[in-house]
Structures are given as structure tokens and as C-alpha cells.
Amino acid sequence: MTSTNLPVPQPAGDRATWLRHLTRRLATELADQLRAQPPTGQIVDEARTRLHQTISRYREGGSVDDATAIRLSMDLRIVRVRDEAWLASQVEPVVMTAVLLDVADRIEPAFLAPVGSLLACAAWNLGERDVARRAVDKVLAKEPFYSMALLLQMALHFNVPPGVLRDRMPTLDEIDILMGPPGPGWLQPLQWTLTDYLESS
């Protein structure tokens, strides 16, 4: 069952508690699914579809439910999906800023790094350097070695124009060639994050 058709009851009481409960439930279900070793391509395709559907909803002025936002934050731990979101953050920074701010408002710190880094990228492309720096700092306070945040930190420190990095980014077709076909290693960062989160919570 995907997060788009998952039955979600109405929050009762404190919203933060509700979101933690929902996050743990989705993380548990996803960890169980990954332990069953489904085809990597299936997981990646579902995540990419969720990303594009979410972008489309916000482009049209809509939003997504809590389950979809939380699951998207987990999807972005898959580097192939994160890189596709990275391209979108450069091409449609206004839309992606709306997506990422809304997602960031609903997720646990364990899932912040890719969301916060992408938010920094979108803000940087909009010329909002202070916002980008704050987002990067928040990510690195949680995960000091998160590569995308470190790259953005360096670019911001040296006042690199966003267009320089944008011009060097590969296209989706080039990313597919560079990464090759989906393999189990693609899901390891997601699995590690889910394990750490479930053990700590």
C-alpha cells in the first residue's frame, strides 16, 4: 500500500504527536517492505512518481497530505530520486521551495538532510542566500558529513553564482547513464536511515 492510498485517520490532540506517530508507522511499513527485498527499480519508480505528482500539485497551487509529505522525505534518501529533485529545484525553484517548506514542516529530524539541502538549493537559485545558509547549517548540525549540504556550503561561502553549478549539472538522461540500472545499493542510505530512526524512536 502506498502513501497516496494509505487510510489516514484524523489527527487527535497534539499535531506533533500525531505526525510522530504517522512517521513511525510509515517508517516501519517501509522498512518491512525493504526487508522483503522488492525490485529496486519498483521502489525507485514509485518514489519518482510520488515526487513528480507532488511537484505538479504544488505547481497548481495545491498540496499533499501528511502521509505523502512524510513518505517523500524518505524517498529523497534515495540518491537517484534526490538528484531528480535537485534538478527540479534549479529549474522550478519557486515551486520546489513551496514543496520543501511544507514537507520540512511535517517531518522528523532524521529525514531532514535531503529536504533541507534541496530547500537550500532552491533558495540559492532564488537569490535568497541567507535562507540557503540557514538551511545548510541546520542540515549540517544534524548530519555534518551530508555531501550535498557540504557542496552547497562551499558554494555559498565562495559566493559562487547558482548558474555555475546549474550549468554543470547532468541531465536526467545523463544521470541514468552515469548511475546505470537500479541496484540494491541505491536503497542502502534509506535503509540505514530507517533503521537508525526506528531504533532511536
Coordinates of all heavy atoms in Angstrom, one line a residue, residues 7-57:
P7 N -4.9 4.7 4.3 CA -6.0 5.3 5.0 C -5.4 6.1 6.2 O -4.7 5.5 7.0 CB -6.8 4.1 5.5 CG -5.9 3.0 5.5 CD -5.0 3.2 4.3
V8 N -5.7 7.4 6.3 CA -5.2 8.2 7.3 C -6.3 8.8 8.2 O -7.1 9.6 7.7 CB -4.4 9.4 6.7 CG1 -3.8 10.3 7.8 CG2 -3.3 8.9 5.8
P9 N -6.4 8.4 9.5 CA -7.4 8.9 10.3 C -7.1 10.4 10.7 O -6.0 10.9 10.5 CB -7.3 8.1 11.6 CG -5.9 7.6 11.6 CD -5.5 7.4 10.1
Q10 N -8.1 11.1 11.2 CA -7.9 12.5 11.5 C -7.0 12.6 12.8 O -7.2 11.8 13.7 CB -9.3 13.1 11.8 CG -10.1 13.3 10.6 CD -9.5 14.3 9.6 OE1 -9.0 15.3 9.9 NE2 -9.4 13.8 8.3
P11 N -6.1 13.6 12.8 CA -5.3 13.8 14.0 C -6.1 14.0 15.2 O -7.1 14.7 15.1 CB -4.5 15.0 13.6 CG -4.5 15.1 12.1 CD -5.8 14.5 11.7
A12 N -5.7 13.5 16.3 CA -6.4 13.7 17.6 C -5.4 14.3 18.6 O -4.3 13.7 18.8 CB -7.0 12.4 18.1
G13 N -5.7 15.4 19.1 CA -4.8 16.0 20.1 C -3.7 16.7 19.5 O -3.8 17.4 18.4
D14 N -2.5 16.6 20.1 CA -1.4 17.4 19.6 C -0.9 17.0 18.2 O -0.7 15.8 18.0 CB -0.2 17.2 20.7 CG 1.0 17.9 20.3 OD1 0.9 19.2 20.2 OD2 2.0 17.3 20.1
R15 N -0.7 17.9 17.3 CA -0.4 17.6 16.0 C 1.0 17.0 15.9 O 1.3 16.1 15.1 CB -0.5 18.8 15.1 CG 0.0 18.6 13.6 CD -0.6 19.6 12.7 NE 0.0 19.5 11.4 CZ -0.3 18.5 10.5 NH1 -1.2 17.6 10.8 NH2 0.2 18.5 9.3
A16 N 2.0 17.5 16.7 CA 3.3 17.0 16.6 C 3.3 15.5 17.0 O 4.1 14.7 16.4 CB 4.2 17.8 17.5
T17 N 2.5 15.2 18.0 CA 2.4 13.8 18.4 C 1.9 12.9 17.3 O 2.3 11.8 17.0 CB 1.6 13.6 19.7 OG1 2.2 14.4 20.7 CG2 1.5 12.2 20.1
W18 N 0.8 13.4 16.6 CA 0.2 12.8 15.5 C 1.2 12.5 14.4 O 1.3 11.4 13.8 CB -1.0 13.6 15.0 CG -1.3 13.4 13.5 CD1 -1.0 14.2 12.5 CD2 -1.8 12.2 12.9 NE1 -1.4 13.7 11.3 CE2 -1.9 12.4 11.5 CE3 -2.3 11.0 13.4 CZ2 -2.4 11.5 10.7 CZ3 -2.8 10.1 12.5 CH2 -2.9 10.3 11.2
L19 N 2.0 13.5 14.0 CA 3.0 13.4 13.0 C 4.1 12.4 13.3 O 4.5 11.6 12.5 CB 3.6 14.8 12.6 CG 2.7 15.8 11.9 CD1 3.4 17.1 11.9 CD2 2.3 15.3 10.5
R20 N 4.5 12.4 14.6 CA 5.5 11.4 15.0 C 4.9 10.0 14.9 O 5.6 9.0 14.4 CB 5.9 11.6 16.5 CG 6.9 12.8 16.6 CD 7.6 12.8 18.0 NE 6.6 13.0 19.0 CZ 6.3 14.2 19.5 NH1 6.8 15.3 19.0 NH2 5.4 14.3 20.5
H21 N 3.7 9.8 15.3 CA 3.0 8.5 15.2 C 2.9 8.1 13.7 O 3.2 6.9 13.4 CB 1.6 8.6 15.8 CG 0.8 7.4 15.6 ND1 1.0 6.2 16.3 CD2 -0.2 7.1 14.7 CE1 0.1 5.3 15.8 NE2 -0.6 5.8 14.9
L22 N 2.5 9.0 12.9 CA 2.4 8.6 11.5 C 3.7 8.3 10.8 O 3.9 7.4 10.1 CB 1.7 9.8 10.7 CG 1.5 9.6 9.2 CD1 0.7 8.4 8.9 CD2 0.9 10.9 8.6
T23 N 4.8 9.1 11.2 CA 6.1 8.9 10.7 C 6.6 7.5 11.1 O 7.2 6.7 10.2 CB 7.1 9.9 11.2 OG1 6.6 11.2 10.8 CG2 8.5 9.7 10.6
R24 N 6.4 7.1 12.3 CA 6.9 5.8 12.8 C 6.2 4.7 12.1 O 6.8 3.7 11.7 CB 6.7 5.7 14.3 CG 7.2 4.4 14.8 CD 7.3 4.3 16.3 NE 7.7 3.0 16.8 CZ 9.0 2.7 16.9 NH1 9.9 3.5 16.5 NH2 9.4 1.5 17.3
R25 N 4.9 4.9 11.9 CA 4.1 3.8 11.2 C 4.6 3.7 9.7 O 4.8 2.6 9.2 CB 2.6 4.2 11.2 CG 1.7 3.2 10.5 CD 0.3 3.2 11.0 NE -0.4 4.5 10.7 CZ -1.0 4.7 9.6 NH1 -1.1 3.8 8.6 NH2 -1.7 5.8 9.4
L26 N 4.8 4.8 9.0 CA 5.2 4.7 7.6 C 6.6 4.2 7.6 O 7.0 3.4 6.7 CB 5.2 6.1 7.0 CG 3.8 6.7 6.7 CD1 3.9 8.1 6.3 CD2 3.0 5.8 5.7
A27 N 7.5 4.6 8.5 CA 8.9 4.1 8.5 C 8.9 2.6 8.8 O 9.7 1.8 8.1 CB 9.7 4.8 9.6
T28 N 8.1 2.1 9.7 CA 8.0 0.7 10.0 C 7.5 -0.1 8.8 O 8.1 -1.2 8.4 CB 7.1 0.4 11.2 OG1 7.6 1.1 12.3 CG2 7.0 -1.1 11.5
E29 N 6.5 0.4 8.1 CA 6.0 -0.3 6.9 C 7.0 -0.3 5.8 O 7.2 -1.4 5.1 CB 4.7 0.4 6.5 CG 3.5 0.2 7.4 CD 2.3 1.0 7.0 OE1 2.4 1.7 6.0 OE2 1.2 0.8 7.7
L30 N 7.7 0.8 5.6 CA 8.7 0.8 4.5 C 9.9 -0.1 4.8 O 10.4 -0.8 4.0 CB 9.1 2.3 4.3 CG 10.1 2.5 3.2 CD1 9.6 1.9 1.9 CD2 10.4 4.0 3.0
A31 N 10.3 -0.1 6.1 CA 11.4 -0.9 6.5 C 11.1 -2.4 6.3 O 11.9 -3.2 5.8 CB 11.8 -0.7 7.9
D32 N 9.9 -2.8 6.6 CA 9.4 -4.2 6.4 C 9.4 -4.5 4.9 O 9.8 -5.6 4.5 CB 8.0 -4.4 7.0 CG 8.0 -4.4 8.5 OD1 9.1 -4.5 9.1 OD2 6.9 -4.2 9.1
Q33 N 8.9 -3.5 4.1 CA 8.9 -3.7 2.7 C 10.3 -3.9 2.1 O 10.5 -4.8 1.3 CB 8.2 -2.5 2.0 CG 8.1 -2.7 0.5 CD 7.5 -1.4 -0.2 OE1 7.3 -0.4 0.5 NE2 7.2 -1.5 -1.4
L34 N 11.2 -3.1 2.5 CA 12.6 -3.2 2.0 C 13.3 -4.5 2.5 O 14.1 -5.1 1.7 CB 13.4 -2.0 2.5 CG 13.0 -0.7 1.9 CD1 13.8 0.4 2.5 CD2 13.1 -0.7 0.4
R35 N 12.9 -5.0 3.7 CA 13.5 -6.3 4.1 C 13.0 -7.4 3.3 O 13.7 -8.5 3.2 CB 13.1 -6.5 5.6 CG 14.1 -5.9 6.6 CD 13.9 -6.4 8.0 NE 12.6 -6.0 8.6 CZ 12.5 -4.8 9.2 NH1 13.5 -4.0 9.4 NH2 11.3 -4.5 9.7
A36 N 11.9 -7.3 2.6 CA 11.4 -8.3 1.7 C 12.1 -8.3 0.4 O 11.8 -9.1 -0.5 CB 9.9 -8.1 1.5
Q37 N 13.0 -7.3 0.2 CA 13.8 -7.2 -1.0 C 13.0 -7.1 -2.3 O 13.1 -7.9 -3.2 CB 14.8 -8.4 -1.1 CG 15.8 -8.4 0.1 CD 16.8 -9.5 0.0 OE1 16.5 -10.6 -0.6 NE2 18.0 -9.3 0.5
P38 N 12.1 -6.1 -2.4 CA 11.4 -5.9 -3.6 C 12.4 -5.4 -4.7 O 13.5 -5.0 -4.4 CB 10.4 -4.8 -3.2 CG 11.1 -4.0 -2.2 CD 11.9 -5.0 -1.4
P39 N 12.0 -5.5 -6.0 CA 12.8 -4.9 -7.0 C 13.2 -3.5 -6.8 O 12.3 -2.7 -6.5 CB 12.0 -5.1 -8.3 CG 11.0 -6.2 -7.9 CD 10.7 -6.0 -6.5
T40 N 14.5 -3.2 -6.8 CA 14.9 -1.8 -6.6 C 14.2 -0.8 -7.5 O 13.8 0.3 -7.2 CB 16.4 -1.7 -6.7 OG1 17.0 -2.6 -5.8 CG2 16.9 -0.2 -6.5
G41 N 14.1 -1.2 -8.8 CA 13.5 -0.3 -9.8 C 12.1 0.0 -9.4 O 11.6 1.1 -9.7
Q42 N 11.4 -0.9 -8.8 CA 10.0 -0.7 -8.4 C 9.9 0.4 -7.4 O 9.1 1.4 -7.4 CB 9.3 -1.9 -7.9 CG 8.0 -1.8 -7.3 CD 7.5 -3.1 -6.6 OE1 7.7 -4.2 -7.1 NE2 6.8 -2.9 -5.5
I43 N 10.8 0.3 -6.4 CA 10.8 1.3 -5.3 C 11.2 2.7 -5.8 O 10.6 3.7 -5.5 CB 11.8 0.9 -4.2 CG1 11.4 -0.5 -3.5 CG2 12.0 2.0 -3.1 CD1 10.1 -0.4 -2.7
V44 N 12.2 2.7 -6.7 CA 12.7 4.0 -7.2 C 11.6 4.6 -8.1 O 11.3 5.8 -8.1 CB 14.0 3.8 -8.0 CG1 14.4 5.1 -8.7 CG2 15.1 3.3 -7.1
D45 N 10.9 3.8 -8.9 CA 9.9 4.3 -9.8 C 8.7 4.9 -9.0 O 8.2 5.9 -9.4 CB 9.4 3.2 -10.8 CG 10.4 2.9 -11.9 OD1 11.3 3.7 -12.1 OD2 10.2 1.9 -12.5
E46 N 8.3 4.2 -7.9 CA 7.2 4.7 -7.1 C 7.6 6.0 -6.5 O 6.8 6.9 -6.4 CB 6.9 3.7 -6.0 CG 6.2 2.4 -6.5 CD 6.0 1.4 -5.4 OE1 6.4 1.6 -4.3 OE2 5.4 0.3 -5.7
A47 N 8.9 6.1 -6.0 CA 9.3 7.4 -5.4 C 9.4 8.5 -6.4 O 9.0 9.6 -6.1 CB 10.7 7.1 -4.8
R48 N 9.9 8.2 -7.6 CA 9.9 9.3 -8.6 C 8.5 9.7 -9.0 O 8.3 10.9 -9.2 CB 10.7 8.7 -9.9 CG 12.2 8.5 -9.6 CD 12.8 7.9 -10.9 NE 12.8 8.9 -12.0 CZ 13.1 8.6 -13.2 NH1 13.4 7.3 -13.5 NH2 13.1 9.5 -14.1
T49 N 7.6 8.8 -9.1 CA 6.2 9.1 -9.4 C 5.6 10.0 -8.3 O 5.0 11.1 -8.6 CB 5.4 7.9 -9.6 OG1 5.8 7.1 -10.7 CG2 3.9 8.2 -9.8
R50 N 5.9 9.7 -7.1 CA 5.4 10.5 -5.9 C 6.0 11.9 -6.0 O 5.3 12.9 -5.8 CB 5.7 9.8 -4.6 CG 5.1 10.4 -3.4 CD 5.1 9.5 -2.2 NE 6.1 8.5 -2.2 CZ 5.9 7.2 -2.4 NH1 4.7 6.7 -2.5 NH2 6.9 6.3 -2.3
L51 N 7.3 12.0 -6.3 CA 7.9 13.3 -6.4 C 7.3 14.1 -7.5 O 6.9 15.3 -7.3 CB 9.4 13.1 -6.8 CG 10.2 14.4 -7.1 CD1 10.3 15.3 -5.9 CD2 11.6 14.0 -7.6
H52 N 7.1 13.6 -8.7 CA 6.5 14.4 -9.8 C 5.0 14.7 -9.5 O 4.6 15.8 -9.9 CB 6.7 13.6 -11.1 CG 8.1 13.6 -11.6 ND1 8.7 14.7 -12.1 CD2 9.0 12.5 -11.7 CE1 9.9 14.4 -12.4 NE2 10.1 13.1 -12.2
Q53 N 4.3 13.8 -8.9 CA 2.9 14.1 -8.6 C 2.8 15.3 -7.6 O 2.0 16.1 -7.7 CB 2.2 12.9 -8.1 CG 1.9 11.8 -9.2 CD 1.3 10.6 -8.6 OE1 1.4 10.3 -7.4 NE2 0.7 9.8 -9.5
T54 N 3.7 15.2 -6.6 CA 3.8 16.3 -5.6 C 4.1 17.6 -6.2 O 3.5 18.6 -5.9 CB 4.8 15.9 -4.5 OG1 4.4 14.7 -3.9 CG2 4.9 17.0 -3.5
I55 N 5.2 17.6 -7.1 CA 5.5 18.9 -7.7 C 4.4 19.4 -8.5 O 4.1 20.7 -8.5 CB 6.8 18.7 -8.6 CG1 8.0 18.4 -7.8 CG2 7.0 19.9 -9.5 CD1 9.2 17.9 -8.6
S56 N 3.7 18.6 -9.2 CA 2.5 19.0 -10.0 C 1.4 19.6 -9.2 O 0.8 20.6 -9.5 CB 1.9 17.8 -10.8 OG 2.9 17.4 -11.8
R57 N 1.2 19.0 -8.0 CA 0.1 19.5 -7.1 C 0.5 20.9 -6.6 O -0.4 21.8 -6.6 CB 0.0 18.6 -5.9 CG -0.6 17.2 -6.2 CD -2.1 17.3 -6.5 NE -2.9 17.9 -5.4 CZ -3.4 17.1 -4.4 NH1 -3.1 15.8 -4.4 NH2 -4.1 17.7 -3.5

